[in-house]
Amino acid sequence: MKRIYELIMMAGACLLAACQGAQVPTVYDQLKMQPAIYPDYIGVMVPVNMAPLHFQLTDRYDEVVTRFTAGNEQLVLSGQQVLPEQDDWQELVAEALKGDSISVEVFTRMGDKWQRYAPFGIHVSPDSIDPWLTYRLISPSYVTYEELTINQRCLENYEERVIYDNMLCSTELSGQCINCHYSQLGNPQRTQFHARQNLGGTMLNIDGKLHKVNLKTDSTLSAGVYPAWHPQLNIIAYSTNNTMQSFHTFDVDKIEVLDAQSDLILYDPVSNEVSTIENDKNEFETFPCWTPDGRWLYYSSAHFEYRDTTDQDAECIMRYKEIKYNIYRKSFDPATRTFGPREMVFAADTLGLSATLPRISPEGRFLLMAVGEWGTFHIWHRDADLWLVDLQTGEAGPFEAVNSPSVESYHNWSSNGRWIVVSSRRDDGNFTRPFFAHVDKDGHATKPFELPTDDPNYHREFMKSYNVPEFMRGPVTLKPQEFADALKKPAVEAKYVGRK
């Protein structure tokens, strides 16, 4: 009986070892180089609550064994794809927080010969990241643009949900287009997005109740386009934009998205009133952004004077490389809801550059912005980089640790100010994907890492771009059909009340 029990225990131990992976080889050639993996997670820093990093080797081998080590924890896995499970990953993370990074060793075999690559580390920060991310998924095509969704992804695992599906209100004859999701400081109970064309309107989710509003008035250029929800008050600053596209034949940047006009407005959902913030006819004001204390409104603006007023759109397209945006700000009094005069923050045009999308860090010290040679829509500009401005010292320059040879554009801060997300095309130059980087209190960033996925090959097969990623403190719980039902109702017409 004792011998049978021993055999059962041995069989169980063998089964457990097989589940955890193959044996680590003891005889191998040591290589000086690190393995080529995708996504590139070599030397990155990750939040304590981030989903496991799954990756794969980019070269093929007869056999692969990977060993993770952190403190007293060790995990051995086999296979071309390296897929640590959630529980195992959290055990490694817990050990790494004690002072050690997660060490990763990759062993490969071709024929009867094993080799060991130089180990690499995955560093773990005790600074957590907001648990959810929202974004629009859109195909890089102008024929199938209606097939898009606003999604939300839990960063602590791989769960993804659809917030709204554009096809729910599109028909064969009447299409719809939705733009990106935005919230009040990541609050899933206060969110908004715009619907254009069929059944168009601004969809507001205020404390779980849906409101469809038409923000276009006789005194404004358009409905609200780029939003900024005040951090404390239930008011929203918008840009209003006369936007158009130009397609190039020879330029490496094939598309130019530009504004022939743009202004800033303020909307009060309680009174349903729209007022003007800025509407200088020679200024293209856009991309509003509140400071965390709600006392300043930052925005981008380009000075542009038309020479021929008969066809402004055509002139704008012909002179598009002259359009260069600076960063400005206006003081705001929350008690009276009035604005002060504009102040220059960053004069990009004096450097021959254009700066857009200002984003202020939660403690108010840093300004993060997208910078290119011209224009407003830097996602189509291969030269676009992120720049960081220290608002205490005035020091400004490219955020070199985060930038790549390809496009860096839309970006945002986590609620604790220790993480940023940036839209980047560094993988293939065509598809925009979210990358994350840690930023310390002095503005130093770590190597960006790509949004983890369960299947590490997922993004190489996924033919859509992630558009306008925004951090969220929790998931939006309203169903896509609830948004669709609300969009099918008539919009409430906003009232224009003048200038703030």
Side-chain angles (χ1 to χ4, degrees), residues 278 283 285 299 301 303 328-330 340-344:
E278 283 282 288
E283 292 284 333
E285 303 99 347
Y299 62 97
S301 185
H303 185 79
Y328 296 90
R329 69 178 187 175
K330 293 172 72 70
R342 79 171 187 173
E343 301 177 10
M344 175 73 78

Side-chain angles (χ1 to χ4, degrees), residues 235-250:
I235 54 175
I236 308 172
Y238 290 96
S239 64
T240 58
N241 306 65
N242 177 6
T243 302
M244 55 187 171
Q245 298 178 96
S246 176
F247 296 83
H248 304 299
T249 304
F250 297 107

Side-chain angles (χ1 to χ4, degrees), residues 80 151 279 283 318 372 390 400 437 456 476:
Q80 188 82 14
N151 286 29
N279 65 344
E283 292 284 333
M318 292 300 294
D390 188 331
E400 298 291 6
V476 175

Side-chain angles (χ1 to χ4, degrees), residues 262 264 278 280 282-287 299-304 323-328 342 344 346 349 354-356 358:
S262 57
L264 297 179
E278 283 282 288
D280 189 321
N282 294 324
E283 292 284 333
F284 296 166
E285 303 99 347
T286 189
F287 295 127
Y299 62 97
S300 303
S301 185
H303 185 79
F304 190 82
I323 304 174
K324 298 178 186 290
Y325 287 77
N326 298 318
I327 304 297
Y328 296 90
R342 79 171 187 173
M344 175 73 78
F346 181 73
D349 60 353
S354 181
T356 65

